[in-house]
Each structure stands twice: as structure tokens, then as C-alpha cells.
Amino acid sequence: MKTLYGTGARMANPLRYLTVAATMLVAASQGRAQVSPLIQNLGARSTTSLDGQWQTIVDPYDVGAFDYRGQPLKNSAAFYKNFKPQSKTDWVEYDFDTSGHLNVPGDWNTQRESLLLYEGSVWYKRSFDYAKAPKRRLFLHFGAANYLASVYLNGEALGQHEGGFTPFDFEITDRVRPEGNFVILRVNNARAKEDVPTVNTDWWNYGGITRPVTLVEVPETFIQDYSIQFEKGSTRQIKGWLQLNGPELHQNITIGIPEAHASKTFATDDTGRVEFSFTADLQPWSPENPKLYAVEISGATDRVVDRIGFRSISVQGTDILLNGKTLFLRGISIHEEAPTRPGRAWSVDDARTLLGWAKELGCNFVRLAHYPHGEAMVRTADEMGILVWEEVPVYWTIQWENPDTLRNAKNQLNELITRDHNRAALIIYSVANETPISDARNRFLSQLIQQAHASDPTRLVSAALQASETEEGGRFTIHINDPIANELDVMGNNEYIGWYVRRIADLDVTDWASKYDKPLIMSEFGADALFGDHGDAQTRWTEEYQESLYVHQIAMLRRIPFLRGTTPWILKDFRSPRRTLPGIEDYFNRKGLVSNRGEKKKAFFVLQEFYRELQNTRRLADQYENSPR
Ligand code: GCB
């Protein structure tokens, strides 16, 4: 969360931050709600969807938030008041009722042509009635809004949320009325240097309320959050914790897995928390057998049911072990773009199509780049048996020395872990992508790595590093020697030999060396190709060039003894403002194995063949096959 007084850099965009700060101060002084702790497993709660058409006002100059001196508006001119003229002399210069609609969830860029490149504020309004029973509590949940959301209910501030890809909740128990509620959001997607991500990325800055909005009703004392999973390294011992929220914090909590005839009861402490451990005979979850168990958690006041897979993930030397067995991660990188229409993906159908393509490729793993994707994606991966790498948008050159930037990155990581920590498919958190090495960067990343390990000891932590290169006698060696690798469980590395760096033929004379006894995932490689553009294998942008690059990359990958996974760049062409070449890029990064219209390029089948081979042999190279584990 932003505070009013910050660094000079922040003042580069004073209006944007003033509104956050001002609303927060008003809210704080009146004892109003800020973002509430996230509620685990919304699907098991009593919910009402607020998705659909929302009224909107596009506000490029932020006139709905500030007066002409840049001071925050508090009177009827503020859009969140939704003021209506009371007489013909009243001056009111905005009107939600006649300003147009946008669909929620959905990015605004692909819903209205004039908003394709828009970066600024849009106000959203939606009315609802809600008959809340006594002794029940109500929360307003947003799956995500990019980037900065200021939220108001019935003309009063609820609070703000910063970060475009993680969920947030506000408690509205004491504010909701039986009839005539109106929720208003100001969503601002202006980029700023100190943000996470920073101003420079290689993806479209889709703005808006991009994921579902839900009213969540729970009992006065409810099960806020819980974690249940095999203890690290075990496939029998279950370990976890649970947190209650409300006045009745002392309760007996029963955890039952009926299918496995397991049921245990534990008592919560004064703070409503309990840590527990018990054994059960369960079939471990794996890509070959993505078994999910109904897990029933009940106390005196609340009951939730989740579908949880149990599995153990660990590393031993350069190996990654799932349920105690080595495996190679046959992966693909994915951006959160809809498979068959322009814009952000958000639905279960989108997830099924994207992950379906990954399955068709022969994948057992996906890298959800470069920010947290929607919960539908990881839940669908749980069902389909696809392991998942999730990532926070600590990308390229963010402000390593800025404590607010660190706080923001930590908050986004925390929200991601809180949302997904019960998903078996999720095995790796990645804390950074291609960040330039410096002491300040190392300190920054070190804090994120420690945070991920501390809040979720059952999973692995990685980052896409950068490596250095030497040349001798016509051969190249790439050295994995980034000092932050010391703190990671799994090393990631992006390389573009044959595209940004040297020639495809150089892949045949490139070897890899690592300072660390740790597994490596080649988290990116690739080449741009326009679907349907054909030529010889030396001609850039053709499918043949991309195909040839994959052939030579795969030959090189086979020679890396410590390689335990690959997630080539990328499943599908995606929009990027950096990609201007007319007739070829047209503002799309064309490194997809599938075009933006869903057509498969030649390289798709090269990777598919490689993955089929790995699937049958479970090995990449001889040295891996002969590994003692
Ligand atoms: C990278 C980045 C990725 C880009 C890709 C490219 O190294 O991690 O975000 O899109 O290269 O296509 O240049």
C-alpha cells in the first residue's frame, strides 16, 4: 500500500498517488476498513457474483478525483459520490447512467477501440441489493484490478489495492444495506517507475477489473484460511494449519478426508489458530494421476470443503523429486491472454484451452509468466495434472533501493501464496525475471526468497537468472554463476541464442556450466515466426527459422547434465507495445508456438516430438538416466 510521504521518484506522478494517500488518510481517520485478510477457497462459501455490465466513465485527467488545483475532491463533484442534480440549477458534470458500459471481468483495452492503448483512470459503478441475515458477515472480493484500485461503497471509501494481478477483499458487513447499494471503483493503470512491474515490460498493459467480482457471505466466526499438504519429503504425514476469524476463536476443528477414512480433531488457540499433523493413506497427486480428495474442514460455526491433491516436491542435488521420484519438467511458458479472442484470459474455459494446448504438446509443467495468473488457471491445472510455476512481476529493472517497491513486491508475493497454497499443481514460486545483478538487487531478491520459504516451506523457489559467457577455440560456454542462485532451490535461465544472440548454428558449439549443485530449468528460449510465413531456415520471421531454432536448441539442451526442465518462450503469440514491425509483428510478440488465432506453427510439432520422447524415457540425456536416484 502507498503512503502519502514517499520518495522523490513517486512524485513524478503526484495525482495518482495523492488519491490513494488521501483516501487512505480519510479512511484511517474515520476508522474505516482497509483491505481485509484474504478468504481461502471462495468456491466453498455462499457467494453472489457481481460480474456483468458495469457503468463506466473514462477519466484521462482524473477530474473525478481532483480539483483544478490537484486537491482531492470530497464534495459532490467526486465521482464516487454518484451525485445526481437535485434541481435544474445544480452543477454536476458527470453521469454514470449515460456514460457507457464495460464488461467485468474484462480488460478495457479490447472492449472499446479507443481504449486499446489507454493508460489512465476508468471509473466503474455497479448497484446491488443484499438481504444479509443477522450474525453473518459480508465481504466484497475482487479477483484482480490492474493496477491501482480505489474502492468506494455507497459514497464512502473502503480503501485501495495496489498490484494488478492478485486478489483483494473488503469487509462491508456494517455498510451494506438491504437495497440500493452502489460500489464504485477508480481503476488506474498508469505505469510508474517505482511500481511492480515497472514502466518497461514486454506485455500489454491491460487495464480494468480483469477478474471476477464476488460478494462473499460467511458466519460471524469463519474459517479464514488453512493449509493442508504432505509434510515436505513425506507421502504419508500430513501437516498444516488453520486460522479462524471472529469472536469465537476457541473451537474444535475436525479435518476429514472421507474417501481415505481419515478424520482428526484439533483445538484452536487464543488467536484462533491451530497447527496440526496426522497420517493418512492417500494416493499421491501427480501429472499421471491428478487425484484430488474432498477435504472437509468443520468447526462449531463454519464448514468448508476443498478439493486437495497431496504430493511432495523437493530437490536433491541437481534432481527435482515429485513424491520421491526424479522427474523432468516438460514445460511451456504462458502469458495470461485469452486463447481465442483478444485480451486477458480469466475464465475456466480459457484455462482449459490454454492448458489443453500445453497437454497436446506433451507438457507436464507450465510457467505462468510474468505475474500471477487467475485462480482458475491453477485450479484447472490441479484437475488436469499439470505442474505449475507461478511468478511475481519483479521484471527487468525495478527500483531495488526503494523500500516501497520492496513492500509492494512482498505484498504481491504474499497475496499469491495466500491464494494458491492449497493447490497441488503449484510447485515453484519465481521471484524475479532477468534482473541485472547488483548488491541492491541481491538484497531485494533475498528478502523475497526468504519470505516465500518462510510462508510456504513445502514449495520450491526459483528465478530466471542471467548468465555469463566465455569463448575458447570456437566453442562457447555459458556459466550459471549469478550469486542469488545460492539462495534458490531451482535455477531458471532465459537464453536467446539464435535470435537476439549470435546464430542458430552457434547452438551446436555451446556448452553449459554451473557453479551450483542445483537443478536448472531453461525458463526461456525461442524465435519469432509469423504463422503462414514460409521460407528457408535462415530467413527470420518464418516458421522454418523458428523450427530450425527449436531443433538446434533441443540438441544443445541434451548436453546440459544439470538440466531438469524447459519452458520455451512461448505457447501463444501475445500483444506487446514493444513489437512495432508492420506486417509481421503488428504489436504482437510472435514467439508463440501457436498464433494469436490459435494456429499451430511448425515448431509446435518439434517440441511435441521432443516431449513425447521424454515422456516415454523420463530422461533427457544419458547422465540423467544413469543418475543413482
Ligand atoms: C525475455 C523476457 C520475455 C520477453 C522475451 C522476448 O527474455 O523474459 O518477457 O517477452 O524475452 O520475446 O524477448
Side-chain angles (χ1 to χ4, degrees):
M1 301 294 295
K2 301 280 183 188
T3 51
L4 183 57
Y5 306 104
T7 61
R10 169 177 305 170
M11 298 317 287
N13 195 354
L15 283 191
R16 178 160 163 267
Y17 291 107
L18 259 175
T19 194
V20 175
T23 321
M24 279 179 72
L25 285 184
V26 172
S29 68
Q30 298 178 2
R32 288 189 185 146
Q34 285 298 307
V35 175
S36 319
L38 287 169
I39 302 173
Q40 185 64 215
N41 189 12
L42 291 197
R45 319 281 178 157
S46 163
T47 55
T48 306
S49 171
L50 292 183
D51 292 348
Q53 295 250 300
W54 285 51
Q55 296 178 322
T56 52
I57 301 175
V58 179
D59 185 14
Y61 274 35
D62 274 320
V63 297
F66 303 100
D67 69 14
Y68 75 128
R69 300 290 190 223
Q71 297 304 308
L73 291 171
K74 294 193 190 95
N75 56 18
S76 55
F79 286 8
Y80 68 84
K81 296 283 186 194
N82 187 36
F83 196 73
K84 296 284 173 199
Q86 307 296 301
S87 74
K88 63 184 179 185
T89 58
D90 275 0
W91 167 64
V92 183
E93 224 176 322
Y94 65 97
D95 187 359
F96 276 101
D97 293 339
T98 51
S99 293
H101 292 87
L102 286 169
N103 267 325
V104 172
D107 62 86
W108 62 56
N109 312 68
T110 56
Q111 293 191 53
R112 211 179 281 172
E113 220 178 317
S114 59
L115 297 180
L116 182 64
L117 282 158
Y118 182 70
E119 295 186 313
S121 290
V122 172
W123 295 82
Y124 286 77
K125 173 179 170 277
R126 151 116 205 203
S127 303
F128 66 94
D129 299 334
Y130 199 89
K132 189 181 73 61
K135 298 216 167 232
R136 302 279 289 177
R137 293 167 70 181
L138 194 66
F139 291 81
L140 180 57
H141 170 89
F142 296 89
N146 189 36
Y147 167 86
L148 191 61
S150 311
V151 187
Y152 307 85
L153 181 69
N154 299 335
E156 303 288 339
L158 291 178
Q160 300 75 36
H161 180 263
E162 181 175 5
F165 303 99
T166 44
F168 51 101
D169 295 351
F170 294 99
E171 178 157 16
I172 57 169
T173 305
D174 299 332
R175 297 155 186 268
V176 69
R177 311 166 184 152
E179 284 177 1
N181 298 284
F182 59 99
V183 53
I184 291 183
L185 266 78
R186 172 180 175 260
V187 182
N188 182 296
N189 74 335
R191 287 167 295 133
K193 274 195 169 151
E194 63 274 28
D195 287 350
V196 182
T198 186
V199 285
N200 197 14
T201 71
D202 188 22
W203 68 82
W204 210 259
N205 183 21
Y206 292 112
I209 306 177
T210 50
R211 296 190 190 142
V213 184
T214 316
L215 292 168
V216 187
E217 192 185 295
V218 290
E220 212 172 20
T221 302
F222 66 98
I223 298 166
Q224 169 92 53
D225 196 2
Y226 52 84
S227 163
I228 305 177
Q229 190 45 258
F230 281 145
E231 190 171 350
K232 202 171 183 95
S234 174
T235 48
R236 238 186 95 67
Q237 191 72 32
I238 292 171
K239 213 178 158 197
W241 53 264
L242 175 143
Q243 181 66 54
L244 293 172
N245 177 328
E248 289 177 59
L249 292 175
H250 277 289
Q251 294 193 17
N252 283 332
I253 301 288
T254 301
I255 299 173
I257 312 175
E259 199 184 329
H261 309 290
S263 174
K264 295 278 168 196
T265 301
F266 306 93
T268 53
D269 66 14
D270 291 350
T271 66
R273 188 177 166 92
V274 60
E275 291 184 16
F276 52 80
S277 176
F278 60 96
T279 54
D281 274 326
L282 300 169
Q283 289 175 43
W285 182 101
S286 69
E288 295 77 32
N289 179 25
K291 171 77 191 158
L292 299 177
Y293 287 91
V295 178
E296 299 174 0
I297 306 159
S298 50
T301 57
D302 197 10
R303 176 177 186 273
V304 293
V305 180
D306 207 341
R307 293 182 68 222
I308 297 181
F310 292 85
R311 53 97 194 98
S312 141
I313 187 83
S314 56
V315 295
Q316 211 176 324
T318 57
D319 278 343
I320 299 173
L321 282 76
L322 179 70
N323 302 322
K325 291 191 203 127
T326 58
L327 95 162
F328 188 88
L329 298 169
R330 309 183 306 270
I332 188 74
S333 295
I334 303 182
H335 257 298
E336 192 184 40
E337 279 203 0
T340 49
R341 56 168 205 282
R344 277 260 171 267
W346 60 269
S347 68
V348 174
D349 279 352
D350 291 338
R352 287 214 177 104
T353 307
L354 292 167
L355 295 175
W357 284 337
K359 274 244 149 171
E360 205 182 325
L361 263 176
C363 291
N364 59 5
F365 180 55
V366 290
R367 173 185 182 211
L368 303 184
H370 278 302
Y371 39 76
H373 293 209
E375 191 177 349
M377 204 59 180
V378 65
R379 284 220 175 238
T380 307
D382 248 10
E383 277 167 21
M384 291 175 68
I386 300 183
L387 296 156
V388 171
W389 154 313
E390 293 200 327
E391 193 163 329
V392 285
V394 175
Y395 183 91
W396 290 352
T397 51
I398 70 167
Q399 289 188 344
W400 308 114
E401 312 260 10
N402 185 336
D404 286 334
T405 305
L406 177 62
R407 206 172 304 130
N408 181 355
K410 290 183 82 164
N411 185 50
Q412 295 190 38
L413 179 61
N414 177 48
E415 288 170 343
L416 171 64
I417 294 174
T418 304
R419 191 192 70 184
D420 288 345
H421 62 214
N422 286 309
R423 303 285 70 81
L426 171 58
I427 53 166
I428 295 177
Y429 296 115
S430 174
V431 296
N433 181 74
E434 290 180 358
T435 54
I437 300 167
S438 73
D439 287 347
R441 170 273 207 176
N442 295 348
R443 279 194 302 273
F444 189 111
L445 294 190
S446 180
Q447 296 217 41
L448 294 181
I449 297 165
Q450 283 168 32
Q451 180 190 341
H453 277 142
S455 43
D456 187 351
T458 70
R459 292 188 172 82
L460 310 177
V461 181
S462 189
L465 309 170
Q466 275 176 318
S468 65
E469 183 185 290
T470 54
E471 187 186 349
E472 209 186 310
R475 282 197 86 84
F476 301 92
T477 306
I478 302 183
H479 304 267
I480 309 264
N481 50 12
D482 185 331
I484 204 68
N486 263 316
E487 299 180 42
L488 299 173
D489 303 303
V490 176
M491 306 179 294
N493 187 83
N494 302 347
E495 52 91 2
Y496 282 92
I497 306 167
W499 187 254
Y500 296 124
V501 187
R502 303 199 310 272
R503 303 266 166 223
I504 290 179
D506 292 329
L507 286 160
D508 305 343
V509 288
T510 301
D511 303 309
W512 289 71
S514 166
K515 249 179 95 169
Y516 306 98
D517 183 30
K518 297 192 178 199
L520 172 73
I521 294 176
M522 201 61 85
S523 38
E524 287 180 30
F525 64 85
D528 289 72
L530 180 65
F531 174 78
D533 193 5
H534 295 289
D536 60 40
Q538 278 76 48
T539 307
R540 272 196 199 251
W541 313 109
T542 63
E543 286 193 47
E544 285 72 15
Y545 188 105
Q546 189 190 40
E547 179 185 36
S548 162
L549 180 131
Y550 269 73
V551 168
H552 290 263
Q553 282 278 355
I554 288 167
M556 180 193 73
L557 295 171
R558 290 179 192 276
R559 295 195 305 275
I560 309 177
F562 44 91
L563 188 73
R564 291 296 178 272
T566 47
T567 53
W569 196 252
I570 186 168
L571 182 65
K572 190 188 78 88
D573 292 353
F574 60 96
R575 272 186 209 267
S576 167
R578 300 173 67 82
R579 309 292 169 176
T580 63
L581 191 64
I584 293 177
E585 294 183 306
D586 296 319
Y587 296 94
F588 278 90
N589 183 313
R590 296 281 179 206
K591 294 190 188 70
L593 295 176
V594 175
S595 77
N596 55 305
R597 289 191 211 88
E599 301 130 327
K600 296 186 179 93
K601 304 179 195 172
K602 291 182 118 184
F604 183 98
F605 301 100
V606 176
L607 189 65
Q608 186 184 55
E609 197 185 319
F610 177 50
Y611 281 170
R612 278 194 184 144
E613 176 200 332
L614 291 178
Q615 197 166 0
N616 295 331
T617 58
R618 289 178 69 91
R619 70 185 168 87
L620 175 71
D622 288 347
Q623 59 269 50
Y624 183 41
E625 180 188 28
N626 297 327
S627 145
R629 289 182 203 110

